Amino acid sequence: MGEGVPTEGIKTTLDELTTGDIARVVAIRNDVSMSLKRRLLDMGITKGTVLRVERHAPLGDPVQIFIKGYHLAIRLNEARAIEVELLPQHLQFRHRHHHGQPHVE
Amino acid sequence: MPHPQIIIAGNPNAGKTCIYNKLTGSAQQVSNYPGVTVEIKTGLLRHHDEKVYVVDLPGSYSLTAYTQEELVARNYIVDTRPSLIINVVDASNFERNLYLTIQLIEMRLPMIIALNMIDTAERRGYKIDAEKLSRLLNIPVVPTVASRGWGIPELKEAAVNLIEGRISAIPAPVNYGHAVDEEILALAKTIEKEPILTERYASEWLAAKVIEKDEAVLNSLNSFSPEIVQPLLQQGEEATQRMERHFGTDAATLMAEHRYGLAASLARSCISFSAEARRDITDHIDMIVCNRFFGPLLLVGVVLSLFFWVFKVSDEWAWIPWFGGFRSPTGMMALLFDYLSEVLAPLQERLPMVHSLLHDGIVGGVGGVMSFVPLIFCMFLFIAALEDSGYIARVAFILDRALRIFGLQGKSILAFIVAGGLGAGGCAVPGILSTRTMREDKDRLTTILVTPFMNCGAKMPVYAMLIAAFFPAHRTFVMLVLWGISWGIALSAAWVLRKFLIRGEQTPFVMELPPYHLPVFTSVLRHTWERTWLYIKKAGTLILAINMIVWVFMYFPRPSEDVPPDVALGYSLAGRVGIALEPITRIAGFDWRTNIALIGGFAAKEVIIGALGTAYALENQDEEKFLSLSDRLASQPDWNPVRAFALMIFVMLYAPCLATVVVIKRETGSWKWAAFSTVYSTVLAFVIAVLVYQLGHYFVG
């Protein structure tokens, strides 16, 4: 974890976030299918990973996030299974830290 | 295997295939992995007299198999124990790529990392210390930019050195941390006591997989005797429970977290930031492409321009220089078949039967199909370029929500497009094959079952001919209506199938949006050619055979006296069947001649025009014939626009052609769905054709 990253934040799920939000993954809920869970884990949605919501598709669904240096699209009803902690907006999500830890000025 | 084998593994979009192509040149072949339909490409690498097999596996994000392709990739590596794995890592996407790398390292097989796309990484402002990575992992790491050929000679050299034993490249064992390593090693020790297991699996890899409860591995363990497997599973279960208690989460999660933790620490060690990275061009483009308003607009624009491009380049523009002028690609094809017709002409008098067989059956039938090759090729070229650039992923992203309403998903769009959904031709065979990027399940099955409703290249001449005859003033409008109907029926059928027959969970949509890049010409060309070749092969084999069979049925038995061709037709076997079916088909407006053509069309829809032409006793077999068939039908008293329209609808919807049926069987794994596809679509087609015909007559008279 980067130093100086605030540890409190609003706890919510990925589907609730809006464009531009930066959040840290807390956990993947246990009530999802094992195969979906593995898939999300494989794609890098692990505890402590920081992600940013890039946009929603024109019809509102799926949502595109920037995570570990790449872009991933997830449906909202699957994003609901990802528990996240919303990080304060003033945190600059710098591209240079592609592995996802924000850098505090 | 007499020659050593190299396997290329890596994430999708990491440039695996590019590296594969550079290593093997043109000596490649495609084969099927036993039992599954995903194809494995095998080629030969030649280097200083050394010959090595190179296998290109489908891209995987992980060895935990999720899609069809990932399962094949994983099984292939496990079952084959290659001499070397070349792991292609996308340097600009380091951490996620390393997740797979770590799992490959767990297999403890000789490995080289091709650190690809270092130019992109540099553009993004970071540099990777390949030497350091190599030291940390204890395997060679070769920086490459495969698309430019940089690093390829070094990669070849390293690979061959390794195979010849001059260097060693067994990776250092993975260290997850004390708690996890302890459990894995303990279980690995138990595994090592059973040679029958270690012969097949690396002990630590198997231990890790058992502890994280990998379903595919647990299944495959069932093939070993219970005395060996049971105690192992028991010990594994205990280890899993201990770890889950210790870390407070389930085994799958904690293993993934540890692997990613390791990937992150490797990234921290080996990556340095050289400059301020700018916002990527991909992001800029996506701001338009995925925009709520401009996105769909752009999509429509792309579709229209594809239409324009395909027809202009393949059909309208005469750009090929040929003896005293320029011709278009379809013009060239027409010339070829005209020439063949001429060559065969002298036979007409002396051996009328042979002439008929060669001219009507073969040249006519196959000629019709081949004349579409330029169109199909252009179509596939455009699609492959869009795929390669990364745009198709955005299309799936944009359309997913809409397609979900019908029980499909975003990725289904590619199958529909390739099968002809954009209205400029296509083929359902490669269309269905492109569903392999979907997960094996209900969405994929539904997609496969409705893809044949798209207006493929075989149906277009039928439409064109009938439209020229009966709707000459409204060509574009009618084509548009047919296009709309095909989509309408496809989507409705999907909805019905999903609701009543193929019930079940929708597949999750978790998809990477890869960075845009300019399509690489050679790889686009290869991809295009693969699909076009399927179409041509179908023509050269199946359609040829069918045309000959149909010809036989339409020619024999012959009446004893000399009668005009259409009377003789009535005498033949095909004629008799057609006449016998007439009472039923009449309600849709089909007479016995139409029936014959449609029966032939069961095998391949390209046959329909030829058969119809023969049934109306026409002599020429090329574009001229098509026109005169149009004229001929237009002048028939029993033909009218309503009947023509009903026929077009029927041709659009009824049974997929034989080639497609075979592919459906292969991709769904059973004849059941292939048979179902034939039956349900024919029934649907007939019902709708009847409705169109009867209602049409009622209203139009």
Side-chain angles (χ1 to χ4, degrees):
Chain A
M1 296 287 218
E3 312 100 336
V5 174
T7 47
E8 328 94 53
I10 309 163
K11 290 248 181 5
T12 177
T13 50
L14 182 57
D15 61 315
E16 297 283 326
L17 301 182
T18 52
T19 303
D21 282 352
I22 299 174
R24 183 192 302 137
V25 176
V26 171
I28 300 176
R29 290 214 323 248
N30 279 319
D31 56 350
V32 299
S33 73
M34 203 56 206
S35 73
L36 174 60
K37 186 169 199 172
R38 280 195 205 275
R39 184 53 154 187
L40 292 172
L41 290 169
D42 284 346
M43 300 306 280
I45 302 187
T46 51
K47 183 163 114 186
T49 303
V50 177
L51 57 89
R52 183 180 66 207
V53 177
E54 293 290 294
R55 60 175 56 84
H56 294 257
L59 293 169
D61 194 356
V63 61
Q64 177 184 342
I65 62 175
F66 185 67
I67 183 173
K68 288 194 158 69
Y70 77 101
H71 295 272
L72 185 64
I74 308 178
R75 280 191 191 141
L76 291 180
N77 57 13
E78 283 125 32
R80 198 169 301 141
I82 302 170
E83 290 169 357
V84 298
E85 189 181 349
L86 187 58
L87 296 175
Q89 291 295 80
H90 70 262
L91 262 183
Q92 188 70 358
F93 191 107
R94 306 279 290 245
H95 278 253
R96 70 203 329 242
H97 289 267
H98 77 288
H99 54 278
Q101 303 306 321
H103 177 82
V104 177
E105 308 292 275
Chain B
M1 275 227 138
H3 294 291
Q5 207 180 133
I6 296 179
I7 284 181
I8 302 184
N11 278 192
N13 309 307
K16 274 188 315 39
T17 302
C18 194
I19 291 206
Y20 169 79
N21 288 335
K22 290 280 193 304
L23 289 178
T24 59
S26 53
Q28 292 177 17
Q29 83 179 52
V30 175
S31 60
N32 278 335
Y33 187 68
V36 195
T37 56
V38 177
E39 279 153 8
I40 305 284
K41 287 192 284 201
T42 311
L44 261 175
L45 162 66
R46 279 174 229 264
H47 189 81
H48 304 154
D49 291 339
E50 181 78 48
K51 267 203 225 164
V52 183
Y53 282 116
V54 181
V55 176
D56 182 19
L57 292 181
S60 326
Y61 292 107
S62 163
L63 289 184
T64 308
Y66 188 71
T67 60
Q68 268 282 67
E69 297 184 320
E70 279 178 340
L71 185 61
V72 169
R74 197 269 275 290
N75 288 344
Y76 197 88
I77 301 175
V78 172
D79 292 342
T80 314
R81 305 305 288 278
S83 319
L84 171 65
I85 298 179
I86 293 180
N87 175 214
V88 180
V89 168
D90 175 5
S92 61
N93 206 331
F94 194 73
E95 221 173 295
R96 197 200 67 216
N97 273 254
L98 235 55
Y99 183 74
L100 175 67
T101 307
I102 290 168
Q103 293 181 61
L104 290 171
I105 289 177
E106 281 172 347
M107 300 189 96
R108 311 305 308 290
L109 291 165
M111 204 161 113
I112 293 178
I113 289 181
L115 193 60
N116 201 21
M117 301 183 182
I118 46 172
D119 55 345
T120 317
E122 243 154 78
R123 241 180 295 132
R124 294 222 186 136
Y126 50 91
K127 221 172 159 335
I128 304 182
D129 188 346
E131 294 247 336
K132 190 164 184 195
L133 184 63
S134 176
R135 264 180 286 127
L136 288 171
L137 297 179
N138 201 38
I139 56 178
V141 174
V142 181
T144 60
V145 179
S147 55
R148 306 225 186 128
W150 299 349
I152 300 293
E154 289 85 343
L155 185 62
K156 269 193 196 169
E157 194 72 41
V160 172
N161 280 339
L162 192 140
I163 297 228
E164 287 175 354
R166 283 194 281 269
I167 58 176
S168 135
I170 305 269
V174 180
N175 282 325
Y176 286 117
H178 186 67
V180 177
D181 286 344
E182 210 178 35
E183 297 289 355
I184 292 181
L185 287 171
L187 195 57
K189 274 214 174 57
T190 309
I191 293 171
E192 274 156 24
K193 297 205 186 97
E194 304 291 345
I196 197 172
L197 289 175
T198 55
E199 180 172 271
R200 192 156 193 239
Y201 307 107
S203 61
E204 283 165 36
W205 181 82
L206 185 58
K209 288 287 170 234
V210 167
I211 287 176
E212 65 178 322
K213 294 203 164 93
D214 183 292
E215 290 88 14
V217 169
L218 293 177
N219 272 338
S220 69
L221 280 178
N222 288 333
S223 64
F224 296 95
S225 78
E227 295 104 56
I228 300 177
V229 170
Q230 270 312 105
L232 175 66
L233 292 179
Q234 179 69 18
Q235 192 182 343
E237 179 66 42
E238 286 161 14
T240 307
Q241 284 179 8
R242 275 193 298 270
M243 276 174 37
E244 289 182 347
R245 261 196 311 269
H246 178 102
F247 289 99
T249 74
D250 63 276
T253 306
L254 72 94
M255 285 305 289
E257 284 172 2
H258 277 85
R259 289 186 182 120
Y260 263 114
L262 196 48
S265 92
L266 284 167
R268 272 194 299 274
S269 302
C270 303
I271 299 183
S272 58
F273 297 97
S274 49
E276 182 64 48
R278 293 131 294 162
R279 206 170 172 78
D280 217 44
I281 194 167
T282 297
D283 295 335
H284 289 298
I285 300 177
D286 268 339
M287 284 200 253
I288 304 172
V289 169
C290 297
N291 181 271
R292 251 163 233 252
F293 181 65
F294 291 112
L297 220 62
L298 181 68
L299 186 54
V300 171
V302 167
V303 171
L304 290 176
S305 72
L306 174 138
F307 222 96
F308 176 87
W309 149 266
V310 167
F311 278 111
K312 293 283 180 191
V313 173
S314 67
D315 202 33
E316 245 183 72
W317 290 339
W319 51 273
I320 303 176
W322 188 257
F323 295 121
F326 288 88
R327 294 182 192 269
S328 71
T330 41
M332 290 292 286
M333 278 292 177
L335 232 98
L336 174 66
F337 285 95
D338 278 345
Y339 175 72
L340 286 174
S341 271
E342 268 173 47
V343 164
L344 291 173
L347 276 177
Q348 192 158 19
E349 284 168 29
R350 278 177 268 150
L351 294 167
M353 191 169 82
V354 176
H355 176 262
S356 178
L357 171 67
L358 289 175
H359 188 253
D360 302 336
I362 299 180
V363 172
V366 178
V369 180
M370 294 301 284
S371 71
F372 267 88
V373 169
L375 192 86
I376 297 271
F377 184 83
C378 285
M379 180 71 187
F380 287 162
L381 190 69
F382 200 98
I383 294 173
L386 287 179
E387 270 179 284
D388 205 44
S389 71
Y391 183 64
I392 297 284
R394 272 74 182 172
V395 175
F397 177 66
I398 294 171
L399 294 177
D400 181 66
R401 185 65 190 86
L403 288 172
R404 263 169 63 197
I405 298 173
F406 303 101
L408 301 163
Q409 53 163 269
K411 287 189 188 167
S412 310
I413 196 70
L414 183 60
F416 295 157
I417 291 175
V418 172
L422 293 180
C427 180
V429 173
I432 290 176
L433 290 177
S434 68
T435 60
R436 284 173 179 171
T437 53
M438 295 170 68
R439 190 159 152 72
E440 186 63 60
D441 61 8
K442 323 265 185 228
D443 288 356
R444 182 173 184 242
L445 178 60
T446 312
T447 305
I448 289 177
L449 288 176
V450 303
T451 295
F453 289 140
M454 293 291 125
N455 288 332
C456 70
K459 301 175 191 170
M460 305 285 267
V462 179
Y463 301 160
M465 187 271 291
L466 288 170
I467 290 176
F470 297 101
F471 306 96
H474 309 280
R475 282 175 216 248
T476 322
F477 178 68
V478 176
M479 282 303 280
L480 215 59
V481 168
L482 290 173
W483 176 84
I485 293 178
S486 73
W487 274 91
I489 302 273
L491 293 175
S492 315
W495 186 83
V496 171
L497 284 173
R498 226 32 188 89
K499 200 153 174 85
F500 298 108
L501 193 63
I502 309 175
R503 285 201 207 98
E505 284 292 303
Q506 283 225 302
T507 326
F509 182 93
V510 178
M511 184 187 79
E512 181 188 0
L513 291 171
Y516 287 111
H517 67 264
L518 279 176
V520 177
F521 186 67
T522 44
S523 92
V524 167
L525 209 58
R526 245 181 251 263
H527 205 181
T528 303
W529 183 248
E530 277 166 16
R531 287 181 170 145
T532 309
W533 178 242
L534 282 172
Y535 182 79
I536 295 177
K537 207 166 70 164
K538 185 182 69 160
T541 54
L542 203 60
I543 292 177
L544 181 62
I546 297 304
N547 264 318
M548 285 170 58
I549 293 173
V550 168
W551 177 86
V552 166
F553 285 139
M554 284 172 77
Y555 206 81
F556 296 107
R558 291 203 75 70
S560 38
E561 331 79 61
D562 224 1
V563 290
D566 49 346
V567 175
L569 183 62
Y571 204 79
S572 70
L573 179 59
R576 290 175 206 221
V577 173
I579 293 170
L581 286 172
E582 211 182 273
I584 308 170
T585 61
R586 210 180 297 144
I587 51 172
F590 306 155
D591 67 351
W592 63 277
R593 292 189 177 98
T594 312
N595 291 344
I596 296 174
L598 290 174
I599 292 174
F602 263 103
K605 306 211 172 172
E606 286 85 345
V607 167
I608 293 175
I609 289 234
L612 211 48
T614 309
Y616 280 95
L618 295 166
E619 312 218 325
N620 297 324
Q621 288 294 336
D622 34 71
E623 254 175 81
E624 278 180 359
K625 182 275 285 284
F626 145 122
L627 278 176
S628 55
L629 176 60
S630 244
D631 294 334
R632 182 66 192 269
L633 291 180
S635 64
Q636 291 281 102
D638 53 338
W639 277 84
N640 53 63
V642 176
R643 185 168 156 176
F645 197 73
L647 179 57
M648 288 195 288
I649 300 286
F650 189 77
V651 169
M652 179 199 295
L653 301 173
Y654 89 119
C657 67
L658 200 56
T660 307
V661 170
V662 168
V663 172
I664 293 178
K665 182 258 169 187
R666 270 174 31 201
E667 297 298 305
T668 58
S670 78
W671 281 110
K672 167 179 108 170
W673 287 115
F676 174 74
S677 174
T678 307
V679 170
Y680 102 96
S681 54
T682 306
V683 167
L684 181 67
F686 191 67
V687 165
I688 296 184
V690 167
L691 279 171
V692 167
Y693 186 69
Q694 297 296 338
L695 290 176
H697 260 297
Y698 183 74
F699 287 110
V700 173

